[in-house]
Amino acid sequence: MREVTMYAEERQHAMARLVAEKRRLSVVALAEEFRVTTETVRRDLSQLERLGLIRRVHGGAVPADTLTGIEVGIGERELTNTDLKDRIARCALSLLPPDGSTLLLDAGSSTARMAALFPQDRPLTVFTHAVPVAARLAVLPRLHLHLLPGRVRTATQAAVGPDTVAALSRLRVDVAFLGTNAISHTHGFSTPDADEAATKQALIAAARRVVVLADSTKIGHETAVRFAETGEVDVLVTDDGAQKADRQRLERAGIEVVIA
């Protein structure tokens, strides 16, 4: 896309005013409005968030006065950053353990995409608490699928709560693939909901190896409830939009950062 000649500061202030007026705008919509690339929009939004003028959310921005605990439903998340999530999901498939292994799949739009791309012929045992993930995997003939119990949240379409955590406490699997709402080298991996965080903590505790799938828009951000310190995650699969400084901080914490 050919960008319109406009001073960055002027464009950013116009973006902030438009977000305040519309109350929520996607990266794609802002790119079309200002006739710039989505990469330029993401840089502008990062600057505006540092200035306290907007808040970044999955795939877009909301006004700074929006409740910090905002959580976007999985249906909406499925429609944001789809190209990045497809690349990440395909890359994560290369990290599947050998045939006969066991794994856990967390809830989330990226893990659901990974499930949709699962190979037809792999004899693996999969445990999941996510209804969309289970629906995608249930048709695979060589897969041994187990759906974990618990109360299903509308926002994530995944089981959470004491029953889910108790079921996970009895498991020991080779690899867990998780999603996250935010990643910060100071706050770790976080999510807005306490029940979701408790379930993710149990997923991590049940696995010998932990892989997180997250597009680069989540890096450098924090949400209310931490579910993992950086040292508790072995691999982060993300895209090339991740800033070099952020990648280096995560790598110094012992995380292998894989760029899809």
Side-chain angles (χ1 to χ4, degrees), residues 58-241:
H58 294 296
V62 296
D65 60 1
T66 302
L67 180 67
T68 57
I70 190 169
E71 182 174 17
V72 181
I74 192 169
E76 185 175 346
R77 278 184 280 154
E78 285 277 11
L79 302 176
T80 61
N81 297 327
T82 55
D83 55 338
L84 300 183
K85 290 174 182 177
D86 282 338
R87 282 162 45 194
I88 290 166
R90 291 190 188 95
C91 184
L93 288 175
S94 67
L95 301 176
L96 285 174
D99 289 355
S101 299
T102 55
L103 58 145
L104 281 161
L105 273 181
D106 187 20
S109 54
S110 294
T111 49
R113 287 176 183 277
M114 181 183 175
L117 297 170
F118 240 68
Q120 298 275 333
D121 58 348
R122 296 291 304 275
L124 296 165
T125 298
V126 179
F127 297 85
T128 185
H129 65 121
V131 175
V133 170
R136 287 166 166 85
L137 296 178
V139 298
L140 300 182
R142 301 197 68 190
L143 206 69
H144 299 285
L145 177 65
H146 299 265
L147 183 59
L148 298 171
R151 172 183 64 84
V152 176
R153 293 186 69 226
T154 302
T156 57
Q157 298 175 27
V160 297
D163 291 340
T164 312
V165 172
L168 285 165
S169 71
R170 295 189 290 270
L171 296 179
R172 189 65 170 163
V173 303
D174 295 300
V175 186
F177 293 88
L178 276 75
T180 185
N181 293 80
I183 305 169
S184 161
H185 73 282
T186 54
H187 188 54
F189 295 77
S190 58
T191 184
D193 184 80
D195 286 336
E196 289 283 346
T199 301
K200 289 177 185 291
Q201 286 175 330
L203 285 160
I204 289 170
R208 297 182 179 89
R209 181 173 170 84
V210 177
V211 178
V212 171
L213 285 63
D215 64 71
S216 59
T217 63
K218 299 176 182 178
I219 300 175
H221 298 279
E222 300 175 354
T223 51
V225 189
R226 179 174 58 222
F227 64 84
E229 302 277 2
T230 51
E232 296 178 275
V233 171
D234 297 296
V235 182
L236 170 65
V237 184
T238 187
D239 59 84
D240 55 10

